[in-house]
């Protein structure tokens, strides 16, 4: 999913000839907003009591992540498979 988000950002920014047209934060929002489109936002889509979620934990200590200033930018543009620590699927809150 992260590779797809990075590709979408690069394609949109290349098409616009503006590297800031589609921000990493907006790409991350688009990549995680499927619940609203599917009409199930009352059950999933955010971390709230009574909802279900898929979670990931990413290491911020890898050298490829550089300085940790903007989490969205880090996830979309710098994350690699080796930085993924844990995946939790269908967790109840």
């Amino acid at each position: 999913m992260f590779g797809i988000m990075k590709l979408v950002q690069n394609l949109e920014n290349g098409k616009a000839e503006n590297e800031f047209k589609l921000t990493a934060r907006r790409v991350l929002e688009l990549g995680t907003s499927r619940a609203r489109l599917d009409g199930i936002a009352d059950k999933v889509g955010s971390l709230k009591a009574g909802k279900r979620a898929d979670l990931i934990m990413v290491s911020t200590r890898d050298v490829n992540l550089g300085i940790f200033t903007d989490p969205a930018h880090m996830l979309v543009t710098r994350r690699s498979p080796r930085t993924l620590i844990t995946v939790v699927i269908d967790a109840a809150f």
Side-chain angles (χ1 to χ4, degrees), residues 13-89:
N13 290 346
K15 186 174 95 175
E17 296 181 5
N18 177 353
E19 66 180 301
F20 303 109
K21 170 80 173 165
L22 186 59
T23 65
R25 184 161 304 281
R26 181 67 180 137
V27 171
L28 193 57
E29 288 171 5
L30 292 170
T32 58
S33 65
R34 184 72 195 181
R36 288 189 300 257
L37 299 174
D38 289 344
I40 55 172
D42 59 323
K43 296 178 185 126
V44 298
S46 61
L47 298 178
K48 292 184 180 174
K51 289 191 172 186
R52 306 200 62 85
D54 295 345
L55 303 171
I56 63 164
M57 291 173 42
V58 177
S59 171
T60 59
R61 296 177 184 219
D62 261 19
V63 96
N64 70 312
L65 297 177
I67 298 172
F68 181 64
T69 56
D70 180 14
H73 180 76
M74 179 195 74
L75 286 173
V76 173
T77 63
R78 300 282 186 251
R79 202 201 67 78
S80 71
R82 71 173 182 262
T83 61
L84 189 61
I85 298 173
T86 303
V87 176
V88 179
I89 298 173

